[in-house]
Amino acid sequence: MQPLSLIVRTVCNIFAWFMVVFGTYIIIHGHITPGGGFQGGAIVATFMAFLLVAFGGDKFLGWARKGMNSGMETSGLLIFLGAGLAAFGIGPFLYNFLANQGGLFGSPVPIGANPGVLNSSGTIALMNIAVGLEVVGALSLIIIYMFSSIRMPLEEGKEEAGHDR
């Protein structure tokens, strides 16, 4: 895959980073606004597709790290399971044991109308972040592996084997 024009690459350099910031905002604010970990993670992972289309396959594969994305996927899964299992001493699996406890995720919500307290959701915000990490890592790996698999037959100069035509 060849890189696109200088105009497309410049627009990608400007707007792709806004996509990462917006996706991160959606992940972090998922419990008080529409969105959440999956939606924000999908937005952030679209950044990888933008890089592939704008800059071409050679540069994309130079930037994309399978190990980093696999690590993000694994850490998201472990954080989610850890938050779910940590509640077993207090209540059932996935019990929101941090709600109203104070600290980073457990601030009490004031009674009445309020604009939304970011650190008031207990384990929900933590699980949104975990799901966001999982989705960013998994969708980025899907993009990397799909591009690598269509690129391999072209490099070898052979027809794709095992595909019904």
PDB file of all heavy atoms in Angstrom, residues 73-93:
ATOM      1  N   GLU A  73      -4.105  -4.830  25.519  1.00  0.00           N
ATOM      2  CA  GLU A  73      -5.242  -5.744  25.572  1.00  0.00           C
ATOM      3  C   GLU A  73      -5.200  -6.579  26.844  1.00  0.00           C
ATOM      4  O   GLU A  73      -6.196  -6.730  27.557  1.00  0.00           O
ATOM      5  CB  GLU A  73      -5.233  -6.634  24.333  1.00  0.00           C
ATOM      6  CG  GLU A  73      -6.420  -7.535  24.238  1.00  0.00           C
ATOM      7  CD  GLU A  73      -6.362  -8.418  23.008  1.00  0.00           C
ATOM      8  OE1 GLU A  73      -5.296  -8.523  22.377  1.00  0.00           O
ATOM      9  OE2 GLU A  73      -7.400  -9.012  22.688  1.00  0.00           O
ATOM     10  N   THR A  74      -4.026  -7.117  27.147  1.00  0.00           N
ATOM     11  CA  THR A  74      -3.881  -7.963  28.335  1.00  0.00           C
ATOM     12  C   THR A  74      -4.079  -7.168  29.619  1.00  0.00           C
ATOM     13  O   THR A  74      -4.774  -7.626  30.540  1.00  0.00           O
ATOM     14  CB  THR A  74      -2.490  -8.617  28.332  1.00  0.00           C
ATOM     15  OG1 THR A  74      -2.319  -9.336  27.118  1.00  0.00           O
ATOM     16  CG2 THR A  74      -2.320  -9.539  29.511  1.00  0.00           C
ATOM     17  N   SER A  75      -3.506  -5.956  29.684  1.00  0.00           N
ATOM     18  CA  SER A  75      -3.658  -5.170  30.909  1.00  0.00           C
ATOM     19  C   SER A  75      -5.113  -4.736  31.113  1.00  0.00           C
ATOM     20  O   SER A  75      -5.598  -4.708  32.248  1.00  0.00           O
ATOM     21  CB  SER A  75      -2.728  -3.960  30.894  1.00  0.00           C
ATOM     22  OG  SER A  75      -3.045  -3.101  29.830  1.00  0.00           O
ATOM     23  N   GLY A  76      -5.822  -4.405  30.035  1.00  0.00           N
ATOM     24  CA  GLY A  76      -7.239  -4.074  30.171  1.00  0.00           C
ATOM     25  C   GLY A  76      -8.036  -5.239  30.721  1.00  0.00           C
ATOM     26  O   GLY A  76      -8.890  -5.066  31.597  1.00  0.00           O
ATOM     27  N   LEU A  77      -7.757  -6.421  30.210  1.00  0.00           N
ATOM     28  CA  LEU A  77      -8.457  -7.615  30.694  1.00  0.00           C
ATOM     29  C   LEU A  77      -8.149  -7.883  32.168  1.00  0.00           C
ATOM     30  O   LEU A  77      -9.045  -8.183  32.963  1.00  0.00           O
ATOM     31  CB  LEU A  77      -8.082  -8.822  29.836  1.00  0.00           C
ATOM     32  CG  LEU A  77      -8.708 -10.141  30.235  1.00  0.00           C
ATOM     33  CD1 LEU A  77     -10.216 -10.098  30.018  1.00  0.00           C
ATOM     34  CD2 LEU A  77      -8.088 -11.277  29.439  1.00  0.00           C
ATOM     35  N   LEU A  78      -6.876  -7.742  32.540  1.00  0.00           N
ATOM     36  CA  LEU A  78      -6.492  -8.010  33.925  1.00  0.00           C
ATOM     37  C   LEU A  78      -7.072  -6.971  34.889  1.00  0.00           C
ATOM     38  O   LEU A  78      -7.484  -7.316  36.002  1.00  0.00           O
ATOM     39  CB  LEU A  78      -4.967  -8.075  34.046  1.00  0.00           C
ATOM     40  CG  LEU A  78      -4.322  -9.291  33.385  1.00  0.00           C
ATOM     41  CD1 LEU A  78      -2.810  -9.204  33.488  1.00  0.00           C
ATOM     42  CD2 LEU A  78      -4.825 -10.587  34.000  1.00  0.00           C
ATOM     43  N   ILE A  79      -7.111  -5.699  34.470  1.00  0.00           N
ATOM     44  CA  ILE A  79      -7.704  -4.661  35.324  1.00  0.00           C
ATOM     45  C   ILE A  79      -9.196  -4.934  35.513  1.00  0.00           C
ATOM     46  O   ILE A  79      -9.721  -4.839  36.622  1.00  0.00           O
ATOM     47  CB  ILE A  79      -7.472  -3.262  34.719  1.00  0.00           C
ATOM     48  CG1 ILE A  79      -6.002  -2.885  34.802  1.00  0.00           C
ATOM     49  CG2 ILE A  79      -8.326  -2.211  35.423  1.00  0.00           C
ATOM     50  CD1 ILE A  79      -5.652  -1.630  34.026  1.00  0.00           C
ATOM     51  N   PHE A  80      -9.888  -5.299  34.432  1.00  0.00           N
ATOM     52  CA  PHE A  80     -11.322  -5.586  34.532  1.00  0.00           C
ATOM     53  C   PHE A  80     -11.583  -6.764  35.458  1.00  0.00           C
ATOM     54  O   PHE A  80     -12.442  -6.698  36.351  1.00  0.00           O
ATOM     55  CB  PHE A  80     -11.888  -5.872  33.140  1.00  0.00           C
ATOM     56  CG  PHE A  80     -13.381  -5.919  33.095  1.00  0.00           C
ATOM     57  CD1 PHE A  80     -14.112  -4.763  32.883  1.00  0.00           C
ATOM     58  CD2 PHE A  80     -14.063  -7.116  33.270  1.00  0.00           C
ATOM     59  CE1 PHE A  80     -15.496  -4.797  32.847  1.00  0.00           C
ATOM     60  CE2 PHE A  80     -15.437  -7.163  33.240  1.00  0.00           C
ATOM     61  CZ  PHE A  80     -16.160  -5.998  33.030  1.00  0.00           C
ATOM     62  N   LEU A  81     -10.844  -7.850  35.244  1.00  0.00           N
ATOM     63  CA  LEU A  81     -11.040  -9.023  36.111  1.00  0.00           C
ATOM     64  C   LEU A  81     -10.637  -8.734  37.550  1.00  0.00           C
ATOM     65  O   LEU A  81     -11.298  -9.188  38.492  1.00  0.00           O
ATOM     66  CB  LEU A  81     -10.242 -10.213  35.571  1.00  0.00           C
ATOM     67  CG  LEU A  81     -10.833 -10.900  34.361  1.00  0.00           C
ATOM     68  CD1 LEU A  81      -9.897 -11.998  33.869  1.00  0.00           C
ATOM     69  CD2 LEU A  81     -12.199 -11.469  34.662  1.00  0.00           C
ATOM     70  N   GLY A  82      -9.560  -7.965  37.732  1.00  0.00           N
ATOM     71  CA  GLY A  82      -9.115  -7.621  39.075  1.00  0.00           C
ATOM     72  C   GLY A  82     -10.154  -6.791  39.819  1.00  0.00           C
ATOM     73  O   GLY A  82     -10.412  -7.025  41.003  1.00  0.00           O
ATOM     74  N   ALA A  83     -10.753  -5.816  39.126  1.00  0.00           N
ATOM     75  CA  ALA A  83     -11.784  -4.998  39.762  1.00  0.00           C
ATOM     76  C   ALA A  83     -13.026  -5.835  40.083  1.00  0.00           C
ATOM     77  O   ALA A  83     -13.682  -5.612  41.093  1.00  0.00           O
ATOM     78  CB  ALA A  83     -12.163  -3.820  38.865  1.00  0.00           C
ATOM     79  N   GLY A  84     -13.328  -6.795  39.223  1.00  0.00           N
ATOM     80  CA  GLY A  84     -14.482  -7.660  39.476  1.00  0.00           C
ATOM     81  C   GLY A  84     -14.234  -8.628  40.614  1.00  0.00           C
ATOM     82  O   GLY A  84     -15.103  -8.855  41.465  1.00  0.00           O
ATOM     83  N   LEU A  85     -13.032  -9.182  40.655  1.00  0.00           N
ATOM     84  CA  LEU A  85     -12.717 -10.166  41.692  1.00  0.00           C
ATOM     85  C   LEU A  85     -12.428  -9.514  43.041  1.00  0.00           C
ATOM     86  O   LEU A  85     -12.602 -10.145  44.083  1.00  0.00           O
ATOM     87  CB  LEU A  85     -11.526 -11.019  41.261  1.00  0.00           C
ATOM     88  CG  LEU A  85     -11.782 -11.970  40.098  1.00  0.00           C
ATOM     89  CD1 LEU A  85     -10.482 -12.631  39.652  1.00  0.00           C
ATOM     90  CD2 LEU A  85     -12.821 -13.000  40.456  1.00  0.00           C
ATOM     91  N   ALA A  86     -11.969  -8.250  43.033  1.00  0.00           N
ATOM     92  CA  ALA A  86     -11.647  -7.576  44.299  1.00  0.00           C
ATOM     93  C   ALA A  86     -12.876  -7.374  45.163  1.00  0.00           C
ATOM     94  O   ALA A  86     -12.764  -7.175  46.364  1.00  0.00           O
ATOM     95  CB  ALA A  86     -10.987  -6.233  43.999  1.00  0.00           C
ATOM     96  N   ALA A  87     -14.049  -7.419  44.562  1.00  0.00           N
ATOM     97  CA  ALA A  87     -15.277  -7.203  45.321  1.00  0.00           C
ATOM     98  C   ALA A  87     -15.771  -8.457  46.029  1.00  0.00           C
ATOM     99  O   ALA A  87     -16.734  -8.378  46.798  1.00  0.00           O
ATOM    100  CB  ALA A  87     -16.374  -6.701  44.379  1.00  0.00           C
ATOM    101  N   PHE A  88     -15.152  -9.600  45.801  1.00  0.00           N
ATOM    102  CA  PHE A  88     -15.673 -10.847  46.365  1.00  0.00           C
ATOM    103  C   PHE A  88     -15.745 -10.841  47.881  1.00  0.00           C
ATOM    104  O   PHE A  88     -16.632 -11.437  48.465  1.00  0.00           O
ATOM    105  CB  PHE A  88     -14.849 -12.047  45.906  1.00  0.00           C
ATOM    106  CG  PHE A  88     -15.433 -12.724  44.711  1.00  0.00           C
ATOM    107  CD1 PHE A  88     -14.622 -13.145  43.687  1.00  0.00           C
ATOM    108  CD2 PHE A  88     -16.794 -12.929  44.588  1.00  0.00           C
ATOM    109  CE1 PHE A  88     -15.147 -13.765  42.574  1.00  0.00           C
ATOM    110  CE2 PHE A  88     -17.334 -13.541  43.482  1.00  0.00           C
ATOM    111  CZ  PHE A  88     -16.508 -13.960  42.483  1.00  0.00           C
ATOM    112  N   GLY A  89     -14.850 -10.161  48.585  1.00  0.00           N
ATOM    113  CA  GLY A  89     -14.901 -10.123  50.038  1.00  0.00           C
ATOM    114  C   GLY A  89     -16.060  -9.286  50.563  1.00  0.00           C
ATOM    115  O   GLY A  89     -16.514  -9.470  51.681  1.00  0.00           O
ATOM    116  N   ILE A  90     -16.552  -8.364  49.742  1.00  0.00           N
ATOM    117  CA  ILE A  90     -17.598  -7.437  50.172  1.00  0.00           C
ATOM    118  C   ILE A  90     -18.964  -7.826  49.626  1.00  0.00           C
ATOM    119  O   ILE A  90     -19.979  -7.719  50.298  1.00  0.00           O
ATOM    120  CB  ILE A  90     -17.242  -6.000  49.719  1.00  0.00           C
ATOM    121  CG1 ILE A  90     -15.873  -5.616  50.266  1.00  0.00           C
ATOM    122  CG2 ILE A  90     -18.299  -5.014  50.143  1.00  0.00           C
ATOM    123  CD1 ILE A  90     -15.286  -4.378  49.655  1.00  0.00           C
ATOM    124  N   GLY A  91     -18.977  -8.276  48.380  1.00  0.00           N
ATOM    125  CA  GLY A  91     -20.245  -8.596  47.728  1.00  0.00           C
ATOM    126  C   GLY A  91     -20.014  -9.519  46.549  1.00  0.00           C
ATOM    127  O   GLY A  91     -18.974 -10.160  46.461  1.00  0.00           O
ATOM    128  N   PRO A  92     -20.953  -9.545  45.621  1.00  0.00           N
ATOM    129  CA  PRO A  92     -20.815 -10.443  44.471  1.00  0.00           C
ATOM    130  C   PRO A  92     -19.778  -9.931  43.474  1.00  0.00           C
ATOM    131  O   PRO A  92     -19.278  -8.821  43.596  1.00  0.00           O
ATOM    132  CB  PRO A  92     -22.220 -10.428  43.853  1.00  0.00           C
ATOM    133  CG  PRO A  92     -22.806  -9.134  44.272  1.00  0.00           C
ATOM    134  CD  PRO A  92     -22.212  -8.822  45.618  1.00  0.00           C
ATOM    135  N   PHE A  93     -19.502 -10.742  42.459  1.00  0.00           N
ATOM    136  CA  PHE A  93     -18.576 -10.387  41.380  1.00  0.00           C
ATOM    137  C   PHE A  93     -19.059  -9.104  40.714  1.00  0.00           C
ATOM    138  O   PHE A  93     -20.251  -8.928  40.479  1.00  0.00           O
ATOM    139  CB  PHE A  93     -18.517 -11.539  40.370  1.00  0.00           C
ATOM    140  CG  PHE A  93     -17.548 -11.312  39.243  1.00  0.00           C
ATOM    141  CD1 PHE A  93     -16.197 -11.216  39.487  1.00  0.00           C
ATOM    142  CD2 PHE A  93     -18.000 -11.182  37.944  1.00  0.00           C
ATOM    143  CE1 PHE A  93     -15.293 -11.007  38.465  1.00  0.00           C
ATOM    144  CE2 PHE A  93     -17.113 -10.983  36.902  1.00  0.00           C
ATOM    145  CZ  PHE A  93     -15.758 -10.894  37.171  1.00  0.00           C
TER     146      PHE A  93
END
